[in-house]
Amino acid sequence: MFISSAFAQTAPAVAAEGGMMSSLTSMLPLVLMFVVLYFVMIRPQMKKQKEHRAMIDALAKGDEVVTAGGLLGKVTKMGDAYLGVEVATGVEIQLQRSAIVQILPKGSIK
C-alpha cells in the first residue's frame, strides 16, 4: 500500500539521468507548433501587407480605386498621406492612402 523508501530514493537518480533528453523532448511540440504557426499565419500575412504597400505606392492620378468602405472612385489629387477621390461628377472626398483596397482596370467605372 505504501511505497517503500528504497524505491522512492532511486526514483530521482533515474530522472536525473534522462533530465536533458526529457526537457528537449517536452519542448519539441512547442517549437513545432511555433513553426507551423509561422508558415500558416504569420508569413502569409506579411506577404499580403507587402503587396498592399506596393499597390499603395504605385497609385497615380487617374487610377480607378475601391475604398475599404466600398466606394468606387477616380484618384484626382495625391498627397503624402491623403488622396482626393472623385466618387461622382463634382463630388470629391479625401481619404487616407491606406483606405484603398483595390485598383480597378481603366474604364471600370462609368
Side-chain angles (χ1 to χ4, degrees), residues 62-76:
D63 284 346
E64 296 176 357
V65 296
V66 178
T67 68
L71 292 173
L72 302 174
K74 186 180 285 191
V75 178
T76 56

Side-chain angles (χ1 to χ4, degrees), residues 63-66 72-74 86-87 104-110:
D63 284 346
E64 296 176 357
V65 296
V66 178
L72 302 174
K74 186 180 285 191
E86 185 178 17
V87 292
L104 298 173
K106 300 279 186 195
S108 296
I109 302 173
K110 296 186 180 182

Side-chain angles (χ1 to χ4, degrees), residues 15-17 27-28 30 46 63 85 87-88 94 103 110:
E17 288 178 12
M27 288 182 58
L28 184 64
L30 182 64
M46 288 172 37
D63 284 346
V85 177
V87 292
Q94 204 170 21
I103 299 176
K110 296 186 180 182

Side-chain angles (χ1 to χ4, degrees), residues 31-46:
V31 171
L32 190 62
M33 285 189 330
F34 181 74
V35 169
V36 169
L37 180 75
Y38 175 76
F39 282 106
V40 171
M41 292 180 68
I42 298 172
R43 190 168 177 233
Q45 183 66 26
M46 288 172 37

